[in-house]
Amino acid sequence: MAHKKAGGSAKNLTKRNPQFLGIKLYGGEAARAGNVIVRQRGTKFLAGAHTGMGKDHTIFAVKEGIVSYKDKRKIRYDGSTVTRKVVYVV
């Protein structure tokens, strides 16, 4: 007979802070200088005219204007093509 009651185990007890990634300003919305437009991991979106990219790949507005998105086809080093969205402030 056991002298101690069996202890259970739980797999969902680790705490993790949310990252709050994603698009913050959509196409057609007004952006002021310094506003964050996209928070991302890696370069899923590329910075276009009047936008800048931070060291964590956050895209922000450099000038005041309207946000717009366009597709751009890029060629990788192995010759394959990939499309990326480019963020502009017009």
Side-chain angles (χ1 to χ4, degrees):
M1 238 174 121
H3 294 291
K4 291 202 172 191
K5 190 174 178 182
S9 65
K11 296 180 181 177
N12 61 350
L13 294 179
T14 58
K15 299 283 185 195
R16 179 178 258 184
N17 289 332
Q19 298 297 311
F20 302 110
L21 301 177
I23 298 175
K24 306 301 178 189
L25 291 176
Y26 292 94
E29 292 186 343
R32 296 175 68 183
N35 279 20
V36 173
I37 301 171
V38 178
R39 297 225 332 123
Q40 60 185 347
R41 293 288 171 260
T43 54
K44 188 175 179 180
F45 294 87
L46 300 174
H50 307 299
T51 60
M53 187 177 290
K55 66 178 183 178
D56 62 344
H57 301 111
T58 297
I59 297 176
F60 57 91
V62 176
K63 290 188 176 181
E64 197 170 321
I66 305 295
V67 178
S68 67
Y69 294 87
K70 291 183 183 176
D71 285 333
K72 184 175 186 179
R73 194 164 38 183
K74 298 196 56 97
I75 299 173
R76 292 182 173 169
Y77 292 111
D78 60 355
S80 62
T81 59
V82 64
T83 57
R84 291 273 188 258
K85 293 245 187 250
V86 182
V87 183
Y88 297 95
V89 174
V90 182

